[in-house]
Amino acid sequence: MNSSSPKPRHDHGILKFPDNFLWGAATSAFQVEGNSFNTDWWEWEQTAQPPEKRSGLAANQYELYEEDFDLTKKLGHNAHRLSLEWSRIEPTEGVYRISEIEHYRKVLTSLKEKNIKVMLTLWHFTLPKWVADKGGWENRQTSEYFNKFVQKVSFEYKDLVDFWITLNEPTVYIYHTYINRQWPSSKKAWIGRQVQTFFNLVSAHKKAYNSIHKHSSKPVGLAHNVQSFTPFKMHSLTQHLSVYLADLINNHSFYFITRGHHDFYGLNYYIHTRFKNFITSQKLSPVLDKGLQAQNVSDLGWEIYPQGIFDVLSDFGNHLPIYITECGIASTNDDRRTRFLINYLHEIGRAISSGINVKGFFYWSLLDNLEWHLGYDPKFGLIEVDFETQKRTPRPSAKVYQQIIEHNGIPHYLLKLLGHGIEVEEVLNKPRDI
Ligand code: BGC
């Protein structure tokens, strides 16, 4: 808790989180830094994307990181998740740029100096061009290229990192690259190549886990995308079977195959899917009930379903410690984001009260950024970014999150927002009775 902030008057009015809980937000290098010329994504977007959806300068965090971390600190965060852009550090095979290694040292040091715990992701979707030219993750050798990079950076930054994330969402990468083909290289690929990519990512994670632990005793994990699945009709056996298979494939297969190579579970949670029919192809979208989901959704059409995070946590509970490495909402309506935060954190609090070892939460995202192939329209940020001027403005939801962090839990006056009868403004402007 910030020493200048008032102490909570009585604990019974607060849904308390455990001591030393990590409260933060997440970003990834390509989405916020800007000018990542040397990546497969940059090359692809020059022809595949309209100008307004190209990354360009993004939020220019490459230059503005100090300003962003000052805000992070001001907003009370005690942890931050960010990633390295591999293509900057190793622009050609085996050649490491000292100036870029130094750049990231300054970035990480800036967080350390502010007493913010660092969770560092080593691969978040983009590849150096030279790796992509050799076949990217389809090439068996890539896990070795990645491993050499990991050895280098884990040695360089061992004193600055508190948590290591090897890979971000390998299954989402496979989905967007090969199944809906909205990501580079947008080429048709046989199922064999998808499977090969999956196993190469498995091998990359395992090697990276071992390599990092040669230099660092800090926990190593993965940021894995998990979804909550429910049947549309409770009595439908085929829908239950769909849930079972989807859960097995999407939520557990990667963790199962890499078991023994995780010090914690990193879970990115966004999506709830209701199954209407049996899965007949790899595509899950035809079995979504769009009509139902439209009632309470984000700007991307993702259903707001707080109970889903409780369900996923129960499913993963009682093994390793859990960090929610991402969870957030794309919305131009910040009231919706505020309610989202309170509702989802309430469910996480409920999971903790029922004995599940959740140790941290990273809201996606600290600031508005490039939402990959969708460009800059989706607004995930606690901090609004004006992409013309690069001006940062914390949204009211960031301040609500700050109040939660200061109380290390959800104070009573915010819990009132769990229902729908009360306006966010009304609660925030009322004199507080915790
Ligand atoms: C990814 C982020 C992405 C976010 C919202 C996650 O799948 O890790 O890079 O921006 O979801 O779509």
Side-chain angles (χ1 to χ4, degrees), residues 28 31 81 124-125 168-169 172 225 268 270 300 302 326 364 369-372 380:
S28 88
Q31 291 175 276
R81 178 176 168 227
H124 197 126
F125 296 153
N168 183 68
E169 298 190 341
V172 169
N225 180 282
N268 291 2
Y270 293 93
L300 295 179
W302 300 352
E326 282 180 38
W364 182 273
N369 58 52
L370 179 86
E371 179 52 15
W372 301 111
F380 274 98

Side-chain angles (χ1 to χ4, degrees), residues 252-312:
H252 292 286
S253 60
F254 202 92
Y255 269 130
F256 181 75
I257 298 176
T258 52
R259 66 193 178 283
H261 293 79
H262 299 273
D263 301 325
F264 59 88
Y265 285 131
L267 305 181
N268 291 2
Y269 176 78
Y270 293 93
I271 293 191
H272 172 233
T273 300
R274 293 171 200 272
F275 283 100
K276 234 179 171 177
N277 318 101
F278 190 62
I279 304 176
T280 49
S281 73
Q282 318 141 302
K283 275 206 168 183
L284 299 187
S285 43
V287 295
L288 285 177
D289 187 83
K290 294 242 169 64
L292 192 84
Q293 297 203 357
Q295 291 167 17
N296 194 12
V297 295
S298 76
D299 290 353
L300 295 179
W302 300 352
E303 184 184 1
I304 298 172
Y305 183 70
Q307 195 196 316
I309 200 162
F310 178 87
D311 293 345
V312 161

Side-chain angles (χ1 to χ4, degrees), residues 187-215:
K187 283 198 202 109
K188 254 200 162 146
W190 297 108
I191 180 104
R193 285 163 63 191
Q194 302 171 30
V195 173
Q196 183 68 57
T197 298
F198 180 87
F199 283 103
N200 292 341
L201 286 160
V202 163
S203 147
H205 170 77
K206 288 187 181 171
K207 286 181 187 169
Y209 177 90
N210 293 333
S211 293
I212 295 167
H213 274 320
K214 286 197 182 121
H215 304 304

